[in-house]
């Protein structure tokens, strides 16, 4: 494991006082997760919770630095911004050890305020207990308020200031940003509010502020589902094997909602009785369209459920719809990756205190209820559903649209100004990446953001899902090449132009 050198420490000592009446502080320290065998150093960024009152409460943001694989790294690191909102950046510490984006530059992982190992944590462990007796979201809100957390300070603008303070505290003149999903929204906010320290930006699965996700989300979902059915119909092998795929899917939704099958389900940990509703299948399809490696299995999963004669077909079909199988794993060729660093007593002890660190529900709610939901019209979303959705999907679409809106009646934070609903204008070199199957941040979102980015390039993976740069492959290679030469046109010849649907 590398340690902080004397030159880095001298840089930290030379950081000038910030103009806001406080100085961001970075304190090197032990990693909050098991780091044995990993090339990583850790520390904590300390900044005010409320920058208008810098002498009051502080937040401590967990940071992990993966040094460049190259022994002569470039001077401008890459700061990774996790999605969510509410995801943990440090949770990916092991996965990024061999990522192309750390080849020539240090890769800095940040647990944004309210998330992961950062303190305070806005994780709602009440929502993670299926047997919790009470209103979990309301009880989490009350608990955090009673703990003195100012929930109005947990939003994209505050997190963007944290990113800039991290750059300052580490002594860098310039950094590069890499954001995925909500991390793209945060990256765009940094570009808007703190552009001077940015050299280049990669945003994958773009969620720009000008998009009203509740209103547009209905059509985004329907378009993603329809795209799957269209691509199968256009493929002679897939259409021959699954000639009535869309109708089979709608029949499963309708039939299972009206008469849900009950069977013994083995989730790999325990066997329990499962009552499977059609809306569960719709939600599973939505989530699995994130995963480009599992998408080729979906026609088979739908068909197994539509023609199920026994519990084996039900379990296999449901597992496929949840993305548990890929064509490789279905044929018995899949090899498990390395054991996660988070499967350890040290992290389990932490989880016992604050709950599942991978997803902070409170941070999600604070961001959504301050800067997204106030600009959306739920009735407009219902109108879109009524006009465009098959009857079998209406109830699921209604619930999907209204849940975050109604949650904000419980999780009350002050709405932010209208700038949080406006397209970001910037000339910073930016690479945008989208997946054609992505049901939550479709390519149209990237197109919208691109309108404000005069030095932007948008690459669409027609058969990709969500977060294509998250794993090694074409998208990650494109991102690395772009950061090396932000002014050059991206060579997207590696982008797959076909999809091979799995057929038994």
């Amino acid at each position: 494991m590398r340690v902080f050198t004397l030159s880095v420490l001298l840089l930290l000592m030379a950081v000038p006082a910030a103009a806001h009446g406080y100085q961001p502080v970075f304190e090197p320290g032990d990693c909050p997760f098991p780091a044995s065998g990993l090339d990583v150093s850790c520390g904590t960024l300390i900044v005010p919770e409320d920058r208008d009152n810098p002498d009051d409460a502080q937040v401590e943001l967990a940071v992990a630095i993966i040094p460049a694989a190259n022994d002569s790294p470039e001077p401008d690191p890459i700061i990774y911004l996790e999605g969510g909102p509410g995801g943990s950046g440090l949770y990916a510490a092991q996965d990024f050890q061999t990522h192309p984006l750390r080849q020539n530059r240090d890769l800095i992982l940040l647990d944004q305020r309210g998330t992961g190992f950062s303190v305070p944590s806005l994780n709602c462990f009440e929502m993670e207990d299926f047997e919790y007796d009470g209103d979990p979201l309301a009880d989490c809100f009350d608990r955090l308020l009673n703990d003195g957390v100012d929930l109005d300070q947990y939003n994209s603008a505050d997190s963007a200031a944290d990113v800039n303070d991290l750059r300052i505290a580490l002594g860098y003149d310039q950094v590069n940003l890499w954001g995925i999903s909500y991390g793209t929204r945060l990256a765009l906010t940094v570009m808007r509010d703190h552009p001077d320290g940015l050299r280049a930006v990669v945003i994958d699965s773009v969620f720009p502020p000008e998009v009203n996700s509740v209103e547009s989300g209905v059509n985004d979902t329907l378009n993603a589902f329809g795209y799957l059915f269209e691509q199968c119909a256009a493929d002679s092998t897939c259409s021959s094997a699954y000639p009535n795929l869309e109708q089979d899917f709608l029949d499963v939704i309708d039939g299972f909602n009206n008469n849900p099958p009950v069977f013994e389900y083995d989730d790999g940990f325990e066997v329990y009785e499962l009552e499977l509703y059609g809306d569960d299948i719709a939600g599973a399809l939505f989530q699995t369209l994130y995963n480009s490696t599992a998408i080729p299995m979906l026609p088979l999963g739908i068909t197994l459920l539509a023609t199920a004669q026994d519990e084996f077909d039900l379990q296999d079909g449901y597992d496929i719809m949840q993305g548990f199988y890929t064509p490789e794993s279905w044929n018995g060729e899949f090899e498990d990756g390395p054991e996660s660093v988070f499967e350890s007593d040290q992290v389990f002890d932490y989880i016992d205190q604050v709950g599942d660190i991978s997803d902070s529900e409170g941070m999600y709610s604070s961001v959504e209820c301050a800067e997204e939901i106030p600009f959306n019209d739920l009735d407009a979303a219902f109108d879109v559903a009524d006009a465009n959705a098959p009857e079998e999907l209406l109830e699921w679409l209604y619930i999907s649209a209204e849940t975050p809106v109604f949650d904000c009646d419980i999780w009350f934070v002050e709405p932010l100004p209208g700038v949080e609903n406006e397209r970001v204008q910037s000339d910073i070199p930016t690479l945008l990446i989208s997946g054609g199957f992505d049901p939550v941040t479709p390519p149209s979102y990237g197109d919208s953001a691109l309108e404000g980015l005069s030095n932007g390039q948008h690459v669409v993976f027609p058969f990709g899902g969500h977060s294509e740069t998250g794993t090694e492959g074409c998208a990650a290679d494109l991102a690395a090449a772009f950061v090396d030469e932000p002014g050059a046109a991206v060579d997207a010849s590696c982008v797959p132009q076909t999809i091979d649907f799995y057929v038994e």
Side-chain angles (χ1 to χ4, degrees):
M1 187 186 305
R2 299 187 188 182
V3 297
F4 288 91
T5 64
L6 177 60
S7 60
V8 173
L9 291 176
L10 289 173
L11 275 173
L12 299 182
M13 293 172 62
V15 173
H20 300 284
Y22 70 93
Q23 179 169 304
V25 175
F26 181 80
E27 296 181 348
D30 294 336
C31 290
F33 54 84
S36 176
L38 300 184
D39 200 3
V40 63
S41 298
C42 294
T44 303
L45 175 69
I46 302 173
V47 295
E49 182 181 54
D50 180 358
R51 287 179 170 81
D52 290 334
N53 298 286
D55 295 329
D56 291 345
Q58 307 291 298
V59 294
E60 300 176 6
L61 307 184
V63 178
I65 302 176
I66 302 174
N70 188 330
D71 289 335
S72 300
E74 297 296 332
D76 43 276
I78 299 170
I79 298 178
Y80 172 68
L81 305 176
E82 181 58 87
S88 165
L90 270 63
Y91 204 83
Q94 179 171 279
D95 297 337
F96 291 154
Q97 290 290 301
T98 59
H99 198 282
L101 277 167
R102 70 158 292 206
Q103 180 61 39
N104 297 322
R105 288 171 172 79
D106 292 352
L107 180 58
I108 302 174
L109 311 180
L110 170 68
D111 270 350
Q112 300 155 30
R113 57 172 57 205
T115 74
F117 293 105
S118 292
V119 179
S121 169
L122 269 61
N123 184 63
C124 292
F125 59 80
E126 298 90 341
M127 299 181 68
E128 296 157 6
D129 183 355
F130 293 112
E131 298 179 355
Y132 185 80
D133 185 16
D135 186 332
L137 186 62
D139 290 348
C140 178
F141 180 81
D142 291 340
R143 172 175 58 82
L144 292 171
L145 287 185
N146 290 335
D147 288 345
V149 179
D150 184 354
L151 296 174
D152 286 320
Q153 308 305 322
Y154 293 79
N155 52 61
S156 297
D158 283 313
S159 290
D162 294 338
V163 173
N164 189 56
D165 279 348
L166 179 61
R167 176 188 66 82
I168 293 170
L170 291 177
Y172 292 109
D173 291 331
Q174 282 192 317
V175 295
N176 307 279
L177 299 182
W178 170 31
I180 294 179
S181 194
Y182 165 73
T184 68
R185 175 76 154 257
L186 179 52
L188 288 164
T189 306
V190 181
M191 294 166 71
R192 182 194 72 199
D193 294 350
H194 307 280
D196 292 343
L198 300 183
R199 174 181 171 271
V201 177
V202 175
I203 48 178
D204 171 8
S205 306
V206 185
F207 178 39
E210 72 275 9
V211 168
N212 292 334
S213 61
V214 174
E215 298 173 23
S216 63
V218 172
N219 267 341
D220 297 336
T221 299
L222 294 174
N223 289 340
F225 287 5
Y227 187 57
L228 173 69
F229 304 138
E230 290 168 9
Q231 292 305 314
C232 181
D235 181 281
S236 59
T237 302
C238 188
S239 60
S240 295
Y242 315 113
N244 303 305
L245 187 62
E246 182 173 8
Q247 190 58 53
D248 285 345
F249 172 67
L250 295 176
D251 288 346
V252 167
I253 302 300
D254 186 52
F256 283 25
N257 274 337
N258 289 322
N259 187 24
V262 179
F263 63 103
E264 287 190 346
Y265 181 76
D266 184 353
D267 67 359
F269 298 98
E270 63 177 315
V271 178
Y272 57 94
E273 196 171 80
L274 175 67
E275 194 172 30
L276 188 59
Y277 286 87
D279 288 348
D280 298 326
I281 305 303
L285 177 60
F286 180 88
Q287 291 295 330
T288 305
L289 287 171
Y290 281 47
N291 184 351
S292 58
T293 62
I295 288 169
M297 294 291 295
L298 287 173
L300 173 61
I302 292 169
T303 302
L304 284 174
L305 291 172
T307 60
Q309 299 296 314
D310 51 42
E311 293 192 1
F312 296 105
D313 287 344
L314 283 171
Q315 168 135 15
D316 282 342
Y318 186 48
D319 281 347
I320 288 172
M321 295 300 292
Q322 291 181 294
F324 290 170
Y325 288 121
T326 65
E328 292 77 19
S329 65
W330 189 255
N331 289 317
E333 300 170 0
F334 182 74
E335 294 182 3
D336 290 334
E339 182 180 359
S340 170
V341 295
F342 291 89
E343 296 175 4
S344 69
D345 291 341
Q346 179 180 345
V347 172
F348 286 148
D349 289 343
Y350 184 88
I351 291 174
D352 284 342
Q353 300 173 42
V354 301
D356 181 4
I357 64 168
S358 67
D359 180 25
S360 172
E361 297 88 354
M363 185 61 183
Y364 174 88
S365 295
S366 281
V367 172
E368 288 290 295
C369 297
E371 62 191 70
E372 183 62 24
I373 300 304
F375 302 105
N376 280 262
D377 183 343
L378 182 58
D379 288 336
F382 288 164
D383 289 343
V384 172
D386 291 339
N388 299 292
E391 183 177 354
E392 294 87 347
L393 288 173
L394 276 178
E395 183 176 356
W396 176 73
L397 288 169
Y398 289 160
I399 293 173
S400 299
E402 69 189 13
T403 297
V405 177
F406 292 164
D407 284 350
C408 292
D409 292 336
I410 297 170
W411 199 274
F412 180 76
V413 289
E414 290 291 337
L416 290 175
V419 67
E420 302 301 339
N421 194 227
E422 297 174 2
R423 181 177 288 111
V424 171
Q425 306 291 326
S426 175
D427 61 1
I428 297 168
T430 307
L431 175 65
L432 304 88
I433 292 178
S434 301
F437 282 111
D438 189 340
V440 66
T441 56
S444 60
Y445 286 17
D447 290 338
S448 179
L450 185 65
E451 292 182 28
L453 305 176
S454 58
N455 282 329
Q457 302 179 59
H458 188 197
V459 177
V460 176
F461 284 67
F463 302 108
H466 194 71
S467 69
E468 287 293 307
T469 61
T471 56
E472 297 172 56
C474 176
D477 291 340
L478 292 182
F482 175 80
V483 174
D484 284 342
E485 295 186 74
V490 171
D491 178 5
S493 58
C494 67
V495 176
Q497 299 299 316
T498 60
I499 181 171
D500 295 323
F501 288 105
Y502 182 85
V503 174
E504 278 197 311

